[in-house]
Amino acid sequence: MGLFLSHMKLFGMTNMQPTLEINLAGIRMKNPVMVASGTFGYGPEYADLVDLNQLGAIVVKGISMESWGGNKTPRMVEVPGGLINAIGLQNPGTKGFTEKYMPFLRKYDVAVIVNIWGKTLEEYAAVAEWFDTVEGVHALEINISCPNVKAGGSSFGVHLDSTARVVAAVRAKTKLPLIPKLAPNVSDIGAFAKVCEDNGADALSLINSFPAMAIDIETRKPILANVSGGLSGPAIHPIAVKLVYEAAKAVKIPLIAIGGITSAKEAIEFMIAGASAVAVGTANFTEPLTALQVIDGLSDYLARHKMSKVQELVRSIKL
Amino acid sequence: MGLFLSHMKLFGMTNMQPTLEINLAGIRMKNPVMVASGTFGYGPEYADLVDLNQLGAIVVKGISMESWGGNKTPRMVEVPGGLINAIGLQNPGTKGFTEKYMPFLRKYDVAVIVNIWGKTLEEYAAVAEWFDTVEGVHALEINISCPNVKAGGSSFGVHLDSTARVVAAVRAKTKLPLIPKLAPNVSDIGAFAKVCEDNGADALSLINSFPAMAIDIETRKPILANVSGGLSGPAIHPIAVKLVYEAAKAVKIPLIAIGGITSAKEAIEFMIAGASAVAVGTANFTEPLTALQVIDGLSDYLARHKMSKVQELVRSIKL
Amino acid sequence: MRIENGTVVSHVPMGPHYRVLTLNLPDVTLTAIPGQFVHLRITQLHDAVLRRPFSIYKVDGQNLSILYKSVGRGTTAMQALGTGDLVSIVGPLGNGFPTNLAAGLTPVLIGGGYGVAPLYFLARTMSQRGVLFVGGAKAVDILLADEFKAIGWDVHIATDDGSLGVKGLVTAPLNTWLKSAVGRFTPEFYACGPNGMLKAIGDLAIKNNWKAWLSLDRHMGCGVGACLACVQKVRLNGQESLARVCKDGPIFESHEVIWDD
Amino acid sequence: MRIENGTVVSHVPMGPHYRVLTLNLPDVTLTAIPGQFVHLRITQLHDAVLRRPFSIYKVDGQNLSILYKSVGRGTTAMQALGTGDLVSIVGPLGNGFPTNLAAGLTPVLIGGGYGVAPLYFLARTMSQRGVLFVGGAKAVDILLADEFKAIGWDVHIATDDGSLGVKGLVTAPLNTWLKSAVGRFTPEFYACGPNGMLKAIGDLAIKNNWKAWLSLDRHMGCGVGACLACVQKVRLNGQESLARVCKDGPIFESHEVIWDD
Ligand SMILES: Cc1cc2nc3c(=O)[nH]c(=O)nc-3n(C[C@H](O)[C@H](O)[C@H](O)COP(=O)(O)OP(=O)(O)OC[C@H]3O[C@@H](n4cnc5c(N)ncnc54)[C@H](O)[C@@H]3O)c2cc1C
Ligand SMILES: Cc1cc2nc3c(=O)[nH]c(=O)nc-3n(C[C@H](O)[C@H](O)[C@H](O)COP(=O)(O)OP(=O)(O)OC[C@H]3O[C@@H](n4cnc5c(N)ncnc54)[C@H](O)[C@@H]3O)c2cc1C
Ligand SMILES: Cc1cc2nc3c(=O)[nH]c(=O)nc-3n(C[C@H](O)[C@H](O)[C@H](O)COP(=O)(O)O)c2cc1C
Ligand SMILES: Cc1cc2nc3c(=O)[nH]c(=O)nc-3n(C[C@H](O)[C@H](O)[C@H](O)COP(=O)(O)O)c2cc1C
Ligand code: FES
Ligand code: FES
């Protein structure tokens, strides 16, 4: 009997291999750990350091219909617990990206999610239409929340009506899973989540970086050429957890949580709060192996807590 | 000639004593450095460590008409670069505060600003009416942005119409300088600043703490008894700078900047961005002498930059 | 209450899990009494905004010692402190234990883990000798037993795993002793340790109409009574209210404490 | 490009303002060439999210050295690194200098401050010897002059305050030398230092139809070409575009660089 028990124990400890596999709104992933748009390039940049096949998904840097030059430099400044970036969505455009990077990405067995943006409703729709037929694209993340472009970007994401219009316009042009990416600087994230769900979103990403600013007190000039930018990194994590928790109460579609993940701890926190998957952003710069470490840490945690599937963690908060 | 120059230099270096005195919406202060509501108690708590007469102003912990018990514990948790609090506005009420603490505060030569809140419009008005006639109260800061109370608090501060109503209701009851304290979790801070100005606000405080949350991944329970709370500290500073910069573009009334000040550097950054004064919050816990250090650092900075008045720094950003 | 930069005089391990940090604090030591604590800033943690509270374990002239266990990021970072380093301290904080005992009462101290630290300061300060009950998970968690004996106290030990003294909770040897003591002694309790232990001691005191001075452990923000993070529901002359553990405590008499949250 | 934890082999000052940090990096050293850099993580700064870029100064077997100046919070925290400590490194990064020079060309290296670090690695790698022009604010900012001489290079020095070599900018001795060299040598420039200096050298090269390989210094995020923080406007075969200094650079030929921002 004691022997039997200890066998059970042994079994539980050693043989239990929790499954991390998920199917997020039709996107099959080996695990729920992705890399966030703009922090991992288009794939090749980190390929020497990170085995892309081990990632849940790669979300590429934001793509617009035509190539776009972005903002002047300086484009980034480090602040305590994070950084402020104002890249300004520089990208090679739909054609440039598809020709230059899709052949590379197709060689890997990893979900590819393209982050798209436009300066007008029509541009959003056009980009969606383009990617609808591009082989190897698994889903579209709609960036309606970039704090660093004058037109488009965030200006869409902070109004319910324009958010609804963008999502509907994109929905009309593609059968790909659609993932609107929400802006953090709103007072009622639930309403934005709901309006996306109602207009055909299959999942939601939250959150994008926070409008923020740093000034050089000696020159009295803004440090970023764009004056302000978006704050990301550990500093914003507790705010992101709250937003994910609120969004989870408002919608049924799965959530991809983003914001200040540096280890499995923050990822697990996000999933308990309501996220089905997570994306690592700024931490890729600090420690390129972060996403892989999160995957391992998540697996260990599930085993330790006797969970056989990662899904058991999702929305498991105890109130 | 060389001699003359070096005299000039000497004079400039040694004798120039920049004046820090300000008159903020009729509130005379020795300097623009205040201590933020809820982080400095009612005055006596830090009096052994900090000479209250050296501060620009003391903003006391939020007061409601009747005494209020606040939230269950745990009420506070430290996170990287900040803390999340959910005190829940515990306070002795107007009568309790006035009898217990005003006699003490009147003994000091420092501006006393009372932070007020209510669960209804009527309560806000009643508290304002009470303090209108209390000797030694120099101004009222209206907390329409506390993330930690179900009713009232933030629910007022994230809607333009209710913000307008609260400010107008309070304005009708007092001649004291009125300082609405804005919520950070809005997409257009300028609109909120403007509606306060239009409804009789004499100055604005920004910002309050950010709705945020932390979860214990081992128990899967929220760490705070109130589930979520407000994030404060260095983590939020770059977001606060951006909000102050935007508010400064929207209104003419003076701004009191709050958020992650730990040294003169952040205070100066705020003033360059548009603040006429600043308040030190969480840093009082880390280092009770922070406000005094900010005052000294500000004075040194002005001398080094050959400014004779602190007002020269306000809104001096170079674009 | 003062704010003072203390120079590290010594920093030595006490068994595998605990360390004693001694700081030179001319001002803070002036008024420190048993049961009070200090609020220590760990500058090595750039991203920490809160100080850490530690009971005063010893005061020798201008030197103040704390006895601590590394349980998280702050107390782990503290291990790096070396002789000569400066540490910012706010203190002494809190009310402290009442030290002059009414005639005929026997001081009975009950400590768990690092809870014996303030009790040792108390024992060294009391004119009278008494009994110490000390409990912990393992033998290595039983601290200061010899130090208490050295100053003439009667020491009783309990460990969860029985590796030292009685196996079980510290209340076991306490109850045995109380039986034997009935009629001969009237105890007054002074306890510092986990809430469960404090509650048990408090109930025991209330049942027998004794007094129990309990040192509460709450997460703290300011440490000086300003932030209201550390409140404890109490009953003072019939009136329920919220006391600040950092300022009105950390020592409360068992009849005052309302344990409901 | 690899990510590797390097053990600190040595960490020694070079004059009052600079230090040489040597790490054991078996993988990174395998492919490192002059002009490339490494991205170093400073774990002591808990709240820092970005690595810091440093040119490779030396490669000796499995040991890689950087020569750095403490200018801010990261490089100041680095001073605490001691022998045996582990430092996370990503590298080698960037394109590096072209090292095989066409016949008849004389390598002319121009360095400012720590800019001589990558130039020294270059000089040690080149089959051919040449001329070094090194400039700095004061004598103490003139680094490696003797090391260059030791390997047979002709060294010319300029300081802003004239405390060593010619008083003024490094371009002063350079121009004097060029006059004397006209006809006898055709120079090819390799420069690393402040933007002002790089631009001056570049203009000089363009005017005379020479080549100048300039090592640009930009604030970086990822260091691997992913974040687009470090872009520089360039002209490649007539086409204007934004090059990533970390990946497409840091070395650019003077005709490619468009200095307008
Ligand atoms: C009045 C008082 C006296 C104390 N005396 C001692 C002592 O003599 N020796 C000793 O080893 N410990 C003592 N403690 C506990 C000590 O304060 C904590 O172990 C310490 O704060 C943990 O910090 P950390 O960063 O290592 O842990 P973390 O868990 O990383 O800290 C995170 C946050 O939680 C707080 N926290 C965590 N555990 C506790 C706790 N048990 N009590 C209060 N706050 C906590 C920390 O202060 C910090 O704000 C005392 C606590 C109080 C309230
Ligand atoms: C390709 C390259 C090679 C370099 N080689 C060397 C070298 O060999 N020796 C040396 O001493 N320095 C070198 N630098 C500069 C070095 O990277 C900075 O001095 C260092 O990053 C400053 O960090 P800090 O935290 O001390 O300064 P802080 O000002 O506190 O840093 C704040 C932020 O600004 C960035 N930053 C500040 N100054 C610079 C700068 N000059 N260049 C790029 N980023 C900067 C930091 O990386 C950090 O992200 C090089 C820079 C580049 C781009
Ligand atoms: C340099 C940089 C570039 C980014 N570019 C994009 C982008 O193109 N599209 C987008 O939707 N989000 C972009 N983001 C936002 C991130 O995807 C992520 O939402 C944000 O950084 C918060 O996550 P983190 O705290 O883990 O970095 C960018 C972030 C950074 C730091
Ligand atoms: C423990 C605590 C209690 C607070 N209580 C109040 C309050 O009663 N009323 C209010 O308007 N703001 C309150 N605040 C918000 C602060 O006044 C300040 O706006 C916020 O902390 C941001 O500043 P900081 O980053 O410097 O802390 C409180 C903050 C903290 C940390
Ligand atoms: S810790 Fe702030 S009131 Fe007790
Ligand atoms: S630093 Fe990220 S692209 Fe160059």
Side-chain angles (χ1 to χ4, degrees):
Chain A
M1 169 59 176
L3 189 68
F4 172 71
L5 271 176
S6 64
H7 269 82
M8 288 291 292
K9 195 118 168 264
L10 201 68
F11 180 82
M13 303 312 276
T14 59
N15 292 33
M16 185 172 117
Q17 271 297 356
T19 44
L20 297 182
E21 258 174 65
I22 64 166
N23 179 324
L24 186 135
I27 316 164
R28 310 184 134 285
M29 304 187 197
K30 297 191 186 90
N31 59 66
V33 182
M34 344 195 323
V35 283
S37 180
T39 66
F40 207 77
Y42 301 108
E45 295 83 355
Y46 276 108
D48 287 2
L49 304 177
V50 179
D51 175 3
L52 307 185
N53 286 328
Q54 291 188 40
L55 298 172
I58 295 173
V59 186
V60 301
K61 171 80 180 159
I63 305 289
S64 51
M65 197 63 209
E66 305 304 327
S67 68
W68 180 254
N71 296 326
K72 284 207 178 309
T73 55
R75 290 177 167 189
M76 187 183 287
V77 57
E78 187 181 64
V79 293
L83 63 84
I84 312 175
N85 91 84
I87 306 302
L89 296 176
Q90 175 187 334
N91 79 91
T94 45
K95 190 160 177 302
F97 165 74
T98 307
E99 290 172 357
K100 187 149 180 234
Y101 296 104
M102 282 312 297
F104 172 88
L105 288 166
R106 276 191 287 262
K107 284 193 261 131
Y108 291 87
D109 172 27
V110 61
V112 174
I113 300 175
V114 178
N115 179 275
I116 65 169
W117 68 280
K119 287 190 281 322
T120 64
L121 216 57
E122 295 64 33
E123 276 182 45
Y124 274 102
V127 181
E129 187 168 22
W130 171 283
F131 283 112
D132 187 52
T133 56
V134 174
E135 190 204 332
V137 173
H138 296 65
L140 299 181
E141 181 177 66
I142 317 172
N143 181 6
I144 50 173
S145 49
C146 180
N148 307 327
V149 284
K150 305 267 165 300
S154 163
S155 51
F156 283 100
V158 296
H159 301 292
L160 286 170
D161 52 355
S162 48
T163 298
R165 280 203 303 277
V166 174
V167 175
V170 169
R171 176 77 292 169
K173 298 294 186 183
T174 179
K175 300 200 174 24
L176 287 169
L178 281 191
I179 312 168
K181 184 167 182 177
L182 303 181
N185 54 322
V186 297
S187 20
D188 182 4
I189 194 81
F192 284 84
K194 193 77 180 60
V195 80
C196 289
E197 184 177 47
D198 294 344
N199 284 273
D202 302 292
L204 295 172
S205 284
L206 61 168
I207 46 84
N208 212 314
S209 53
F210 279 78
M213 177 170 177
I215 298 169
D216 179 330
I217 65 170
E218 294 308 317
T219 63
R220 283 187 271 156
K221 291 204 188 104
I223 293 178
L224 298 175
N226 189 53
V227 179
S228 66
L231 178 66
S232 63
I236 67 172
H237 178 68
I239 311 179
V241 173
K242 166 71 168 173
L243 291 167
V244 166
Y245 174 71
E246 291 301 328
K249 287 194 283 186
V251 296
K252 294 199 172 40
I253 52 176
L255 306 178
I256 300 163
I258 316 168
I261 295 175
T262 61
S263 70
K265 178 183 174 295
E266 295 83 21
I268 292 163
E269 208 179 349
F270 269 138
M271 297 185 81
I272 293 170
S276 299
V278 299
V280 174
T282 297
N284 292 312
F285 306 155
T286 323
E287 176 47 66
L289 303 180
T290 301
L292 303 182
Q293 291 163 353
V294 170
I295 295 165
D296 293 345
L298 181 57
S299 180
D300 295 348
Y301 176 92
L302 293 171
R304 197 151 48 74
H305 288 259
K306 304 269 177 296
M307 298 186 195
S308 58
K309 294 203 220 61
V310 68
Q311 285 82 352
E312 294 174 45
L313 196 55
V314 179
R315 298 179 177 239
S316 65
I317 188 165
K318 297 180 184 162
L319 295 173
Chain B
M1 170 58 174
L3 186 68
F4 172 69
L5 271 176
S6 65
H7 269 84
M8 288 291 293
K9 196 117 167 265
L10 200 69
F11 179 82
M13 304 310 276
T14 59
N15 292 32
M16 187 173 114
Q17 271 297 354
T19 45
L20 297 182
E21 258 175 65
I22 64 166
N23 178 325
L24 187 135
I27 316 165
R28 311 185 131 285
M29 303 187 197
K30 298 192 186 87
N31 60 67
V33 183
M34 345 197 318
V35 285
S37 180
T39 67
F40 208 77
Y42 302 106
E45 297 83 357
Y46 276 108
D48 286 4
L49 304 177
V50 179
D51 175 3
L52 307 186
N53 286 329
Q54 291 188 39
L55 299 172
I58 295 174
V59 186
V60 300
K61 170 81 181 160
I63 303 291
S64 51
M65 196 62 207
E66 304 305 327
S67 67
W68 180 253
N71 296 326
K72 283 203 178 308
T73 56
R75 291 177 166 190
M76 186 184 287
V77 56
E78 187 182 65
V79 293
L83 64 84
I84 312 175
N85 92 84
I87 306 303
L89 295 177
Q90 176 186 335
N91 79 91
T94 45
K95 190 161 176 302
F97 165 75
T98 307
E99 290 171 356
K100 188 150 178 236
Y101 296 104
M102 282 312 296
F104 171 89
L105 288 165
R106 275 191 287 262
K107 284 193 265 134
Y108 290 87
D109 172 27
V110 61
V112 173
I113 299 174
V114 178
N115 178 277
I116 66 169
W117 68 280
K119 289 191 279 323
T120 64
L121 216 57
E122 295 64 32
E123 275 181 47
Y124 273 103
V127 181
E129 187 167 21
W130 171 283
F131 283 112
D132 187 51
T133 56
V134 174
E135 190 205 331
V137 173
H138 297 65
L140 297 181
E141 181 177 65
I142 316 173
N143 181 5
I144 50 173
S145 49
C146 181
N148 306 326
V149 283
K150 306 266 164 303
S154 161
S155 51
F156 283 99
V158 296
H159 301 292
L160 287 170
D161 51 357
S162 48
T163 297
R165 279 202 304 277
V166 173
V167 176
V170 169
R171 176 77 290 170
K173 298 294 186 184
T174 179
K175 298 197 174 28
L176 287 169
L178 281 191
I179 311 168
K181 185 168 181 177
L182 303 181
N185 54 322
V186 297
S187 21
D188 183 3
I189 194 80
F192 285 83
K194 192 78 179 62
V195 81
C196 290
E197 184 176 47
D198 295 345
N199 284 273
D202 303 293
L204 296 172
S205 283
L206 62 170
I207 46 82
N208 212 314
S209 54
F210 279 78
M213 173 170 180
I215 299 169
D216 179 330
I217 66 171
E218 294 308 317
T219 63
R220 283 187 272 158
K221 292 204 187 104
I223 293 177
L224 297 176
N226 189 54
V227 179
S228 65
L231 178 66
S232 62
I236 67 172
H237 178 69
I239 312 179
V241 173
K242 166 72 167 172
L243 291 167
V244 167
Y245 175 71
E246 292 302 327
K249 288 194 285 185
V251 295
K252 295 200 170 40
I253 52 176
L255 306 178
I256 300 163
I258 317 168
I261 295 175
T262 61
S263 70
K265 178 182 174 296
E266 296 82 22
I268 292 163
E269 209 180 347
F270 270 138
M271 297 185 82
I272 293 169
S276 299
V278 299
V280 175
T282 298
N284 292 313
F285 306 155
T286 323
E287 176 48 66
L289 303 179
T290 301
L292 302 182
Q293 291 164 354
V294 169
I295 295 166
D296 294 344
L298 181 57
S299 181
D300 296 347
Y301 176 92
L302 293 172
R304 198 151 46 75
H305 288 260
K306 305 269 177 294
M307 298 187 195
S308 58
K309 293 203 220 59
V310 68
Q311 286 80 353
E312 295 174 44
L313 196 55
V314 178
R315 298 178 177 240
S316 65
I317 188 165
K318 297 182 183 158
L319 296 174
Chain C
M1 181 207 324
R2 302 295 192 88
I3 181 163
E4 190 172 20
N5 282 321
T7 314
V8 176
V9 175
S10 68
H11 191 188
V12 295
M14 180 182 278
H17 303 314
Y18 299 82
R19 286 167 175 259
V20 176
L21 177 69
T22 302
L23 304 168
N24 183 260
L25 294 164
D27 288 352
V28 173
T29 47
L30 278 177
T31 60
I33 63 167
Q36 290 188 302
F37 65 97
V38 293
H39 224 186
L40 184 151
R41 181 174 180 190
I42 302 156
T43 31
Q44 287 78 358
L45 286 184
H46 303 86
D47 61 352
V49 298
L50 294 180
R51 288 170 174 256
R52 305 297 193 250
F54 298 95
S55 299
I56 300 170
Y57 155 49
K58 256 192 209 170
V59 172
D60 287 325
Q62 297 193 332
N63 290 349
L64 181 148
S65 303
I66 63 168
L67 166 55
Y68 74 95
K69 183 178 189 180
S70 293
V71 299
R73 54 192 217 109
T75 44
T76 302
M78 279 166 64
Q79 295 179 5
L81 288 170
T83 308
D85 290 351
L86 284 181
V87 180
S88 170
I89 292 288
V90 175
L93 299 172
N95 55 356
F97 288 111
T99 47
N100 31 34
L101 204 53
L105 294 177
T106 305
V108 175
L109 280 45
I110 306 106
Y114 57 73
V116 293
L119 298 179
Y120 182 65
F121 187 16
L122 175 68
R124 293 225 308 183
T125 313
M126 280 186 151
S127 49
Q128 205 171 343
R129 296 190 186 135
V131 193
L132 169 75
F133 293 87
V134 52
K138 299 194 189 59
V140 292
D141 299 302
I142 303 303
L143 306 171
L144 304 180
D146 297 343
E147 285 79 351
F148 274 94
K149 287 178 190 153
I151 57 171
W153 284 61
D154 172 18
V155 176
H156 301 257
I157 296 170
T159 53
D160 301 350
D161 67 354
S163 52
L164 192 67
V166 183
K167 186 176 198 298
L169 296 175
V170 69
T171 41
L174 174 62
N175 285 314
T176 327
W177 181 85
L178 285 170
K179 281 199 199 64
S180 73
V182 173
R184 295 190 294 131
F185 306 105
T186 309
E188 179 136 323
F189 295 138
Y190 299 81
C192 184
N195 277 340
M197 183 194 102
L198 297 181
K199 193 171 180 322
I201 302 299
D203 293 347
L204 193 62
I206 291 165
K207 208 171 83 256
N208 297 281
N209 265 304
W210 297 326
K211 282 218 175 96
W213 302 98
L214 311 175
S215 178
L216 268 51
D217 179 334
R218 273 267 182 302
H219 285 221
M220 293 183 172
C222 65
V224 302
C227 75
L228 308 181
C230 66
V231 296
Q232 167 65 44
K233 197 184 278 182
V234 296
R235 190 183 298 97
L236 298 168
N237 37 59
Q239 268 264 331
E240 269 198 19
S241 71
L242 290 168
R244 299 160 302 177
V245 169
C246 67
K247 181 84 177 174
D248 311 314
I251 315 300
F252 295 90
E253 200 288 311
S254 56
H255 296 77
E256 301 171 351
V257 182
I258 302 173
W259 286 105
D260 68 10
D261 64 354
Chain D
M1 183 207 324
R2 304 294 193 87
I3 180 163
E4 190 173 18
N5 282 322
T7 314
V8 175
V9 174
S10 68
H11 192 188
V12 295
M14 181 182 276
H17 303 314
Y18 299 82
R19 285 167 176 258
V20 175
L21 178 68
T22 302
L23 303 167
N24 182 261
L25 295 164
D27 288 352
V28 172
T29 46
L30 278 176
T31 60
I33 65 167
Q36 290 188 302
F37 65 97
V38 293
H39 224 186
L40 185 151
R41 181 174 180 190
I42 302 156
T43 31
Q44 287 78 358
L45 285 184
H46 303 87
D47 61 352
V49 297
L50 294 180
R51 288 170 174 257
R52 305 296 193 250
F54 297 96
S55 300
I56 300 170
Y57 155 49
K58 256 192 207 170
V59 172
D60 287 326
Q62 298 193 332
N63 289 350
L64 181 148
S65 303
I66 63 167
L67 166 56
Y68 74 94
K69 183 178 190 179
S70 294
V71 299
R73 54 192 217 110
T75 45
T76 302
M78 279 166 65
Q79 295 179 5
L81 288 170
T83 309
D85 289 352
L86 283 180
V87 180
S88 169
I89 292 289
V90 174
L93 300 172
N95 55 355
F97 287 112
T99 46
N100 32 34
L101 203 53
L105 295 178
T106 305
V108 175
L109 281 44
I110 305 105
Y114 57 73
V116 293
L119 298 179
Y120 182 67
F121 187 16
L122 176 67
R124 294 227 305 184
T125 314
M126 281 186 149
S127 49
Q128 203 171 344
R129 296 192 186 135
V131 193
L132 169 76
F133 293 86
V134 52
K138 298 195 190 61
V140 291
D141 299 303
I142 303 303
L143 307 172
L144 305 179
D146 297 343
E147 285 80 351
F148 273 94
K149 286 177 191 154
I151 56 172
W153 283 61
D154 173 17
V155 176
H156 301 256
I157 297 171
T159 52
D160 302 350
D161 67 354
S163 52
L164 192 66
V166 182
K167 185 175 197 304
L169 296 175
V170 69
T171 41
L174 173 61
N175 285 315
T176 326
W177 181 84
L178 284 169
K179 282 199 198 66
S180 73
V182 173
R184 295 189 295 131
F185 306 104
T186 311
E188 179 135 322
F189 295 139
Y190 299 80
C192 185
N195 276 342
M197 183 194 103
L198 296 180
K199 193 171 180 319
I201 302 298
D203 294 347
L204 193 62
I206 292 165
K207 207 170 85 257
N208 297 281
N209 265 304
W210 297 324
K211 283 218 176 94
W213 302 98
L214 312 175
S215 178
L216 268 50
D217 179 333
R218 272 265 183 302
H219 286 220
M220 293 182 173
C222 66
V224 301
C227 75
L228 307 181
C230 64
V231 295
Q232 166 65 45
K233 197 184 279 183
V234 296
R235 191 183 297 97
L236 299 168
N237 38 58
Q239 269 264 329
E240 269 198 20
S241 71
L242 290 169
R244 298 161 303 178
V245 169
C246 68
K247 180 85 177 172
D248 311 314
I251 315 299
F252 296 90
E253 202 287 310
S254 56
H255 296 77
E256 301 172 350
V257 181
I258 303 174
W259 285 106
D260 66 10
D261 65 354

